[in-house]
Amino acid sequence: MRQTLSNIYRLGVKELWSLWRDPIMLVLIVFTFTFAVYSAASSMPETLHKAPIAVVDEDQSPLSQRIVSAFYPPHFMPPAMIAPAQIDPGMDAGVYTFVLHIPSGFQRDVLAGRPAEIQLNTDATRMTQAFTGSGYIQQIVLGEVSEFMSRHRGTAASPVTLETRARFNPTLDKSWFGSLSQIINQITMLSIILTGAALIREREHGTIEHLLVMPVTPFEIMASKIWAMGLVVLVASFLSLTFVVRWLLGVPIAGSLPLFFTGAALVLFATTSIGIFMATIARNMPQFGMLAVLVLLPLQMLSGGTTPRESMPRLVQDIMLAAPTTHFVELGQAILFRGAGIDVVWPQLIAVTAIGAVFFGIALARFRKTISSMA
């Protein structure tokens, strides 16, 4: 047992030195846990942020001025006042995403109770902002008209008062969710890529034959790659959580980081085994890259980190229970977002451990078969 542990340790140190001499992988690690995390948190695609808007105010009335003054950052840029002839050139050039056209006599028609029309031009090529922003603008215009009319016509107070309380994210800041979810996704992605690349690098450089003549077993070779690459991912994710998420983005961490990284270590046990299994199937790095796309996309998109699992078909939910990322997303969100303790996440910890043991056994059997064919 002592010799086995010594072999696993020394082989793992060799993997770390090999990684240190691979500048491409080092750049990938740094990029994944810095810029990728920051960009995912600060550029949420569904967020309406500083959308350019212009207003054609032909009415020049107090009501139209109220509507114009209702658009302000951070959702919209300060409105640009333009003439009707500037609408089409401005939208064709992509200068404005929204152009609100208030016709002459708008306030007069509203006060007289006659049908009043207002035109909203939207650049639908900016699909996400167009959909979200159109709803925002409609609510703003109707709200300003309603408040303006309430000075002249009384409205009955609603018998029901609805109080909204946002738990775990009181300001509804989407960067909180984006950054932490990206950390969870990057742990999965990088662990598979690093471990698989480490084995393929051995094969391409011919050093796997050197290992075959050494007094080491396939179990020791595989275990060394798992602990070495897993340690790199754990250290990188810890630094990213500390400096990028908490310091640069100012996102608070609600739960226990030791508990989260305990769960992450168990997940890495499974995902690194998946990486080794994929490396035994692929013959070279290009094949491994294509295979990684087929594996990583379902793991990230169907595990609940991007969209809630409840919105997926029941069959997909049941199939994804066999994926370690499904339980890791539940575990990570519960700890980092809601401050859950081990009394809440212990089912996910057990599930991840069991899945990791199964994947490790499958990968080890496949690795032994591959080694035997090369011997």
Side-chain angles (χ1 to χ4, degrees):
M1 176 61 70
R2 180 178 299 178
Q3 185 62 39
T4 298
L5 295 178
S6 177
N7 290 342
I8 293 174
Y9 169 75
R10 294 180 183 278
L11 288 173
V13 172
K14 179 190 73 68
E15 294 296 333
L16 294 176
W17 278 111
S18 298
L19 179 63
W20 180 254
R21 296 187 181 96
D22 191 339
I24 301 300
M25 283 298 175
L26 293 178
V27 171
L28 176 63
I29 295 172
V30 174
F31 173 84
T32 299
F33 283 104
T34 54
F35 182 79
V37 173
Y38 181 83
S39 60
S42 57
S43 58
M44 299 293 288
E46 71 274 11
T47 303
L48 188 68
H49 184 67
K50 293 186 177 180
I53 183 173
V55 178
V56 178
D57 187 5
E58 295 182 324
D59 194 34
Q60 294 295 326
S61 63
L63 177 56
S64 66
Q65 293 299 317
R66 284 177 60 100
I67 294 174
V68 172
S69 62
F71 299 101
Y72 48 82
H75 294 309
F76 297 94
M77 295 288 287
M81 307 305 297
I82 62 176
Q86 298 175 275
I87 296 178
D88 289 341
M91 298 199 73
D92 291 342
V95 179
Y96 311 119
T97 303
F98 307 99
V99 176
L100 192 66
H101 189 177
I102 305 176
S104 177
F106 175 70
Q107 177 179 302
R108 182 181 63 248
D109 292 338
V110 169
L111 294 177
R114 294 191 296 266
E117 296 181 353
I118 189 170
Q119 184 184 65
L120 175 63
N121 300 275
T122 303
D123 182 0
T125 60
R126 300 173 179 177
M127 185 173 178
T128 306
Q129 281 200 341
F131 177 78
T132 306
S134 297
Y136 277 28
I137 294 173
Q138 181 179 356
Q139 292 179 5
I140 290 172
V141 172
L142 293 179
E144 293 299 327
V145 172
S146 177
E147 290 185 7
F148 183 81
M149 292 297 294
S150 65
R151 298 182 179 182
H152 305 274
R153 300 176 185 177
T155 56
S158 174
V160 178
T161 301
L162 178 64
E163 292 188 5
T164 303
R165 297 181 180 178
R167 299 291 301 274
F168 315 119
N169 189 355
T171 60
L172 300 180
D173 189 346
K174 294 186 178 182
S175 66
W176 292 18
F177 177 81
S179 59
L180 296 178
S181 296
Q182 191 72 5
I183 289 288
I184 295 173
N185 288 334
Q186 302 296 32
I187 288 175
T188 302
M189 181 192 73
L190 205 60
S191 60
I192 292 177
I193 292 177
L194 287 181
T195 312
L199 181 56
I200 292 180
R201 184 168 56 241
E202 297 268 17
R203 187 186 305 165
E204 292 181 342
H205 293 173
T207 54
I208 189 70
E209 286 80 4
H210 298 167
L211 294 176
L212 295 178
V213 299
M214 295 176 62
V216 293
T217 63
F219 170 80
E220 294 170 351
I221 298 174
M222 181 173 166
S224 65
K225 296 182 183 300
I226 287 177
W227 85 256
M229 298 301 105
L231 178 63
V232 171
V233 174
L234 282 179
V235 172
S237 58
F238 173 77
L239 295 176
S240 181
L241 271 175
T242 302
F243 295 104
V244 179
V245 176
R246 302 179 75 173
W247 179 70
L248 187 59
L249 293 171
V251 178
I253 304 299
S256 169
L257 286 182
L259 181 60
F260 170 74
F261 283 110
T262 299
L266 295 175
V267 171
L268 288 171
F269 177 54
T271 53
T272 50
S273 299
I274 295 175
I276 290 179
F277 179 77
M278 292 165 52
T280 60
I281 297 176
R283 297 180 179 179
N284 47 49
M285 281 300 295
Q287 288 187 3
F288 178 77
M290 291 186 291
L291 186 60
V293 173
L294 297 177
V295 174
L296 288 172
L297 284 180
L299 286 180
Q300 294 188 352
M301 296 180 64
L302 303 179
S303 59
T306 304
T307 57
R309 294 184 63 246
E310 292 77 12
S311 63
M312 303 177 189
R314 186 65 191 180
L315 178 62
V316 175
Q317 297 184 39
D318 294 338
I319 293 176
M320 290 305 296
L321 288 176
T325 52
T326 300
H327 307 281
F328 186 40
V329 168
E330 294 181 4
L331 177 149
Q333 291 182 351
I335 296 175
L336 298 179
F337 294 157
R338 300 188 290 274
I342 193 168
D343 57 320
V344 175
V345 300
W346 67 266
Q348 286 76 32
L349 293 175
I350 294 177
V352 167
T353 303
I355 293 173
V358 172
F359 279 123
F360 182 84
I362 295 174
L364 181 59
R366 174 70 185 181
F367 184 58
R368 282 174 173 166
K369 183 179 179 179
T370 304
I371 292 294
S372 300
S373 63
M374 297 176 60

